[in-house]
Amino acid sequence: MSRYFDRLWYRVVLIAVLIAAGALCGTWISRLVVISSDRGQMRIFSERLLDRAVDVFTEADMMLTVINTSPYPFCSDKEISYLRDVLFGTRYLKDMGRVSDGFFHCSAVFGNGKKPMPLVAHDLETPAGKLIYANSRVAISNSSAPIIGIGKANVVLDPASFETLKNSAYAYVVMYNPQGTSSTVGMFGSLNIGKLDVKPPDGVGRIGDTVYRNVCRDMACVTVHAEVSQLEASAQPITTIISIFGATLGAALATIIILLRRNNLSMKTRLQQALGHNGLTMEYQPIVDIATGRTVAAEALVRWKENGEAIPPDVFIPVAEKAGLINRLTICVIENVLKDMAPVLDANPDFHVSINITAADLFNRDFSAQLASRLEEANVTSSQIVLEITERSTANAADAIEAIKRLRSRGHRIFIDDFGTGYSSLAYLGELNVDGIKIDRSFTQTIGTGSVSVSIVPQIIGMAHVHHLDIVVEGIETPAQRDYFAALVPKVDGQGWLFGRPTSAATIRELLNSLT
């Protein structure tokens, strides 16, 4: 066979055989691992879901009592203000409102509707008169959410209440089991939403390819499913053989791939070279005072061109995160911004530049010191560098609060970017103690369309103002959108193609010089 080794077809066949054999062995090994480890992992996951479910439903029940005992006239301005104050103190609610005679009248977020709206059919009614809607369309947007009501009150539960606990290995359903009834209704998760059933018995079991676990406590029940292998215990003796064989094939395949691709640079390597040879550049999009049209800031946007080809940030930034290069990339962005904009910032003390940072940067304890040293070298004050983080970066609340406090103590302002896309609440932002929000362009695009989503924009702005949050509206592209936000009180800043597309630092300098 050695005489065929240098022939291309032989190497292709060899690679195909190794790939097929390695994949088969990997499948066997992974199924064996699932069988041996799944039960313990499933127990931990189901208990975490159950703890969260009890917190969610307990808070909902407590708030229904608070609403029904409101000291103010039904849906009066004072009562709506009272409902908003109560909503800000909740963790897992998106809205709370008033209903009567089968109609929705008002809510903390929606305000007082022009006319009562009929309620949709409920999924379950308890003997005590509690109504459960497993997945009902909400008044404030085109989305759906679980709703619980009793008397003349209802509460909208946050559909993202369990997002931080999700595990791709499992499918689950969180069920509401009202006191005084043996019925349950699926409220959260990917299994049986809206399905009425009897309360499941606690325990584990297996049906075909599916292993399941049921747990219940108080008014909450959780069912977790996982697909597992049907390999029997008789397969255990060959585990070692398969492991060795799979490892050998994997090593051989890896060696062949490395040899065949030794002259091809990976995206990671290309990015490392770009970082090492100043291959990244910056563009800046103006942020303006919508009421006056005056440019007050700019957002820094990183760009990468290689051999004349532009590589989008949404391609290379995930690569940097996965490869452990994201901190290096962020520092490169900061250094380029200071190189471009230090003279501009020095000449315009009220002007600032916004820089996006990732969750890895936020939780890196060395990041704030790295940033401070570079600002000191460039003689730029920290108040002129605003840091933007995403809602997803703050999923771990305790660590996020500490990290934000650390950066704010050095004088930086912190904004939540693309606010509204993560379905987080302004109450949660109060816990994070950030300085402002950037309203996502999806809200801006509804202006002038007659969409019901438009009604939430003044509510977001008003409630953000109550909590002393600065506001930037993203994606302003038309005069109608600009005029809409210019008429709102309090004032907001805006960003979008109407005011200027991303451009060079030189153009920003010329723009600011023309205003002085």
Side-chain angles (χ1 to χ4, degrees), residues 191-220:
L191 298 172
N192 302 326
I193 297 299
K195 181 181 178 181
L196 294 177
D197 210 337
V198 295
K199 180 179 179 179
D202 284 8
V204 298
R206 182 170 179 171
I207 301 176
D209 289 329
T210 301
V211 168
Y212 66 86
R213 182 180 181 88
N214 298 324
V215 287
C216 293
R217 187 168 73 246
D218 297 336
M219 73 291 289

Side-chain angles (χ1 to χ4, degrees), residues 88 426 456-467 471 489-490:
F88 270 112
L426 285 168
I456 195 175
V457 174
Q459 304 293 339
I460 291 176
I461 292 175
M463 296 165 82
H465 179 62
V466 168
H467 285 262
I471 302 166
V489 177

Side-chain angles (χ1 to χ4, degrees), residues 298-316:
E299 180 180 358
L301 304 168
V302 64
R303 298 291 185 255
W304 180 19
K305 282 190 177 181
E306 186 181 60
N307 300 323
E309 176 189 359
I311 302 174
D314 57 2
V315 172
F316 67 82

Side-chain angles (χ1 to χ4, degrees), residues 346-369:
D346 183 56
N348 300 271
D350 295 331
F351 186 81
H352 68 263
V353 176
S354 293
I355 297 176
N356 293 277
I357 65 173
T358 66
D361 299 316
L362 181 65
F363 298 125
N364 183 350
R365 291 185 171 273
D366 296 328
F367 175 71
S368 60

Side-chain angles (χ1 to χ4, degrees), residues 11 127 146 314 369 411 420 470 493:
R11 285 183 284 176
D314 57 2
D470 293 333
D493 294 334

Side-chain angles (χ1 to χ4, degrees), residues 105-122:
H105 289 265
C106 66
S107 78
V109 174
F110 187 72
N112 213 330
K114 294 182 179 179
K115 61 180 182 179
M117 291 183 287
L119 298 174
V120 299
H122 52 270

Side-chain angles (χ1 to χ4, degrees), residues 331 334-335 338 369-380:
I331 295 299
I334 291 169
E335 290 174 345
L338 295 176
Q370 293 172 334
L371 175 56
S373 66
R374 284 158 177 80
L375 291 176
E376 184 178 359
E377 291 174 6
N379 195 29
V380 171

